[in-house]
Amino acid sequence: MAASGNPEVKLLGIWFSPFVLRARIALNLKEVQYEFLEEQLGTKSELLLESNPVYKKMPVLIHDGKPVCESLIIVQYIDEVWAGSGTTLMPTDAYERAIHRFWTVYVDDKLYSSFLDSIMRYRTDEAKAEAEEQTVAALQLLEEAFDKISKGKPFFGGDTIGYLDIALGCFLGWIRAAEINGLKLLDHARTPLLCAWAEKFYNNEAVRAVIPDTMKLAEFTKVLRSSYQNRVPPTK
């Protein structure tokens, strides 16, 4: 639903970022029209620097001229501001909200870090193998969490995509790209529930409209890997 129809809502981002994708999915699920302002790789626009002077990172949501930064904060903001529209993203129960927030922190602190190490930041084959094991272990723990949190329903959020679904689902394009490049992380034998969840999430109209092309991401991963290796000196 990225469009120029609502000049009051703008999103600064870049096509391949899973964190930008979180905001785009949330806006789509809440049926909010917005203008997507694409940043260029390797540069930071004046608007981005002005809107997020502390971290100077994407995404940044600009609503009525006021910037909101950090992907998960943006998702919560979208859910609160447009509470009467589209899908409710946060659980209504306080304890369930706390549980969902806990696991979103786990996704970013554990899963994302080890996943990035496994596809890009490794320096040796041994380090790559260790990062892959850590990523698989993190997904298996999330498989167990899904079983408890979903209560037999298709999403972490129940019958519809919610906050935790967005937090994890934003990485599905990259996970599928990693599979094309030879790293299979979601497996029907190890993580059958997450495999079924991933298909339902990926095929949701609000997601499919904005998730990057898998082949394009697979090729881009190789570019980022090469860039990272050339930039970071080998350890002694």
Side-chain angles (χ1 to χ4, degrees), residues 28-80:
N28 283 357
L29 288 169
K30 300 299 288 186
E31 301 175 358
V32 178
Q33 294 290 322
Y34 66 99
E35 182 179 1
F36 184 57
L37 302 178
E38 180 92 21
E39 293 284 320
Q40 298 301 311
L41 182 63
T43 64
K44 296 181 179 180
S45 68
E46 286 299 318
L47 182 58
L48 175 61
L49 296 175
E50 292 171 1
S51 302
N52 190 357
V54 177
Y55 291 112
K56 303 177 177 63
K57 292 181 179 180
M58 301 167 277
V60 177
L61 180 76
I62 301 176
H63 180 213
D64 289 338
K66 296 175 289 188
V68 182
C69 306
E70 297 295 309
S71 64
L72 293 175
I73 294 174
I74 290 172
V75 172
Q76 292 179 67
Y77 178 86
I78 290 168
D79 195 39
E80 292 174 7

Side-chain angles (χ1 to χ4, degrees), residues 158-207:
D159 292 318
T160 57
I161 291 174
Y163 177 68
L164 180 50
D165 295 287
I166 294 172
L168 178 58
C170 70
F171 297 112
L172 281 178
W174 284 95
I175 289 173
R176 290 190 172 193
E179 184 172 335
I180 289 175
N181 288 333
L183 174 60
K184 189 170 183 60
L185 294 171
L186 287 178
D187 182 271
H188 285 282
R190 290 193 305 253
T191 54
L193 297 178
L194 283 183
C195 285
W197 162 83
E199 285 299 318
K200 292 183 178 68
F201 182 90
Y202 205 90
N203 288 313
N204 184 280
E205 184 179 351
V207 176

Side-chain angles (χ1 to χ4, degrees), residues 204-218:
N204 184 280
E205 184 179 351
V207 176
R208 289 183 65 84
V210 290
I211 200 164
D213 177 75
T214 303
M215 290 300 299
K216 188 177 179 182
L217 278 178

